[in-house]
Amino acid sequence: MAKEKIILTGDRPTGRLHIGHYVGSLRRRVELQNAGDYKKMFVFIADAQALTDNIDNPEKVRQNVIEVALDYLAAGLDPTKSTLFIQSQIPELCELSFYFMDLVTVSRLQRNPTVKTEIQMRNFETSIPVGFFTYPISQAADITAFKATTVPVGEDQEPMIEQTREIVRRFNYIYGETLVEPEILLPDNAACLRLPGTDGKAKMSKSLGNCIYLSDSADEVQKKIKSMYTDPNHLRVTDPGQIEGNTVFTYLDAFCRPEHFERYWNEYPNLDELKAHYQRGGLGDMKVKKFLNEIMQETLEPIRNRRKEFEKDIPAIYDMLKKGCATARETAAATLDEVRRSMKINYFDDVELIAEQAKRFSAE
Ligand code: TRP
């Protein structure tokens, strides 16, 4: 069967990537990449989107571009298999966003739930930057310029993909079949959909200080796991414990595989048995945290080591990104040629148009 999938996704460079990014999308991308069942794969650093709410902090965005690139490579993204690039270096994306703006209403943007919450979180109130307000449109351009079919992202990005699909349908309806409707690819495990912070709060976020970063040292990881939120009513070892909302168990759901029991805790055959014991009582938090720490160290160590290797040659990473930008730009430019043709704004490469107009005026 022909390989039809075009996979595309990206991250805002506002900080180093954490394990929420990892289980939410990054791990899946690496699996998809290594399975090889796709035509093309693009992964990009959304610096222009990061600027929409960091406009007065360009240095932060600039510093984090390389951090995210290192995290990508450390996690196993391979530039020989996927194109890694930087959003702002593809001017075609701005051009496409500008055309898409005609296809979206203000009220439709106002209804986008992710944008709504983000506006509240940032206390923009009435002084919302237009660029921030319209970033779902620019995200639709990011996706469609590459004719992506498959977008592996976290749950919070669902409204963006839905809005992209609407834009594509409207574009194709008005201008003729040109663009491709993408599908979202969500993690299949509920714990991975929205990994809570180490404090049990709904989301990992740098400002809350509740993240475990892919680049954290072994000591940092261990310290963070030791102080992790569990069941506040599980005071004595003999007390029955709660699994729901217990961050340690949510992380186990996201990271634990059967072979981890064989390797680190063969008293239990699987996670269900471990959970059952905790719920009955008689199992202390420290033991479960120790097990989680073994698993996290096993998962993060190779990532951390690879990052150290890549950090030794930073110029090579910029060079790789530059090449990725050139490749990505070729694809985006080809789509934009089609878009301009469909929108009838291709004046100079349309021999028929020129001949037709010449005839019209000579007849008058
Ligand atoms: N909005 C995404 C985030 O917050 C980043 C992003 C920008 C993106 N454009 C995209 C993701 C296109 C997938 C596809 O991380």
Side-chain angles (χ1 to χ4, degrees):
M1 206 181 78
K3 293 178 179 180
E4 298 298 343
K5 260 192 250 166
I6 297 181
I7 302 166
L8 173 137
T9 186
D11 300 275
R12 293 183 196 180
T14 52
R16 288 179 290 149
L17 300 184
H18 51 61
I19 60 171
H21 294 111
Y22 185 70
V23 296
S25 161
L26 194 49
R27 180 166 66 183
R28 186 64 158 283
R29 293 176 208 170
V30 176
E31 283 164 12
L32 286 165
Q33 172 196 272
N34 295 340
D37 175 28
Y38 57 88
K39 197 158 101 188
K40 287 185 201 167
M41 179 154 170
F42 298 95
V43 180
F44 73 99
I45 303 175
D47 61 337
Q49 188 177 104
L51 284 168
T52 63
D53 65 330
N54 287 286
I55 199 65
D56 50 2
N57 206 349
E59 197 53 41
K60 169 173 144 190
V61 174
R62 184 189 184 80
Q63 296 297 331
N64 282 307
V65 166
I66 188 75
E67 295 280 3
V68 172
L70 281 165
D71 284 330
Y72 281 171
L73 294 168
L77 287 176
D78 175 352
T80 66
K81 294 179 183 159
S82 16
T83 304
L84 309 183
F85 69 97
I86 307 175
Q87 186 189 25
S88 63
Q89 304 307 300
I90 318 296
E92 284 78 8
L93 299 179
C94 297
E95 186 182 350
L96 190 55
S97 302
F98 188 68
Y99 301 140
F100 282 176
M101 286 194 184
D102 300 332
L103 306 177
V104 182
T105 63
V106 171
S107 69
R108 176 64 184 87
L109 280 173
Q110 278 166 335
R111 270 187 284 121
N112 185 308
T114 303
V115 176
K116 254 190 192 167
T117 3
E118 286 178 329
I119 285 173
Q120 277 166 1
M121 268 164 43
R122 287 165 180 72
N123 293 320
F124 280 146
E125 289 168 18
T126 53
S127 50
I128 308 160
V130 174
F132 180 81
F133 182 61
T134 55
Y135 92 72
I137 300 178
S138 119
Q139 189 156 339
D142 299 338
I143 297 169
T144 51
F146 300 93
K147 300 204 168 165
T149 58
T150 313
V151 185
V153 279
E155 197 184 25
D156 61 323
Q157 297 298 305
E158 210 159 11
M160 306 301 159
I161 310 302
E162 194 41 48
Q163 189 136 30
T164 303
R165 293 167 62 86
E166 282 175 33
I167 291 173
V168 169
R169 284 199 288 269
R170 213 162 133 67
F171 188 100
N172 289 348
Y173 175 74
I174 300 173
Y175 302 117
E177 229 22 72
T178 314
L179 300 173
V180 178
E181 263 188 67
E183 309 259 356
I184 191 168
L185 188 63
L186 290 169
D188 34 30
N189 171 337
C192 298
L193 272 179
R194 193 161 277 236
L195 197 75
T198 51
D199 56 357
K201 296 244 167 62
K203 208 179 166 179
M204 277 202 180
S205 106
K206 197 166 70 178
S207 52
L208 294 172
N210 61 0
C211 307
I212 295 177
Y213 293 100
L214 293 178
S215 48
D216 276 346
S217 69
D219 280 353
E220 282 167 318
V221 173
Q222 188 179 25
K223 218 183 285 161
K224 288 177 183 181
I225 290 173
K226 267 193 183 154
S227 62
M228 228 159 126
Y229 179 85
T230 57
D231 169 7
N233 299 316
H234 186 235
L235 298 174
R236 273 171 302 243
V237 172
T238 47
D239 289 341
Q242 264 224 345
I243 302 296
E244 297 77 30
N246 186 325
T247 318
V248 175
F249 282 95
T250 312
Y251 281 27
L252 285 175
D253 280 330
F255 286 98
C256 180
R257 290 191 311 270
E259 64 263 32
H260 291 137
F261 283 96
E262 287 162 34
R263 229 169 288 162
Y264 304 116
W265 210 359
N266 56 19
E267 275 169 56
Y268 298 93
N270 55 46
L271 193 50
D272 286 340
E273 296 288 323
L274 176 68
K275 285 179 178 173
H277 189 184
Y278 189 81
Q279 286 170 312
R280 278 198 307 276
L283 179 56
D285 283 348
M286 276 335 273
K287 278 192 176 172
V288 191
K289 284 183 174 175
K290 187 166 167 275
F291 179 51
L292 177 64
N293 183 57
E294 303 278 15
I295 296 172
M296 295 308 301
Q297 299 295 352
E298 180 190 304
T299 310
L300 295 177
E301 192 187 56
I303 298 178
R304 193 185 304 126
N305 291 344
R306 267 199 301 269
R307 197 185 212 270
K308 293 234 172 69
E309 283 305 305
F310 284 112
E311 283 172 359
K312 288 181 187 158
D313 194 356
I314 295 295
I317 295 176
Y318 281 104
D319 199 47
M320 175 280 288
L321 289 170
K322 189 175 169 189
K323 291 199 178 92
C325 288
T327 308
R329 211 177 158 189
E330 268 173 43
T331 307
T335 307
L336 259 292
D337 277 343
E338 288 178 56
V339 162
R340 284 187 221 100
R341 211 175 310 134
S342 300
M343 292 181 72
K344 302 194 175 292
I345 51 175
N346 60 328
Y347 306 108
F348 308 126
D349 65 355
D350 189 344
V351 187
E352 259 171 57
L353 166 80
I354 298 170
E356 247 171 54
Q357 296 297 333
K359 208 162 109 201
R360 182 160 81 87
F361 283 96
S362 66
E364 268 169 14

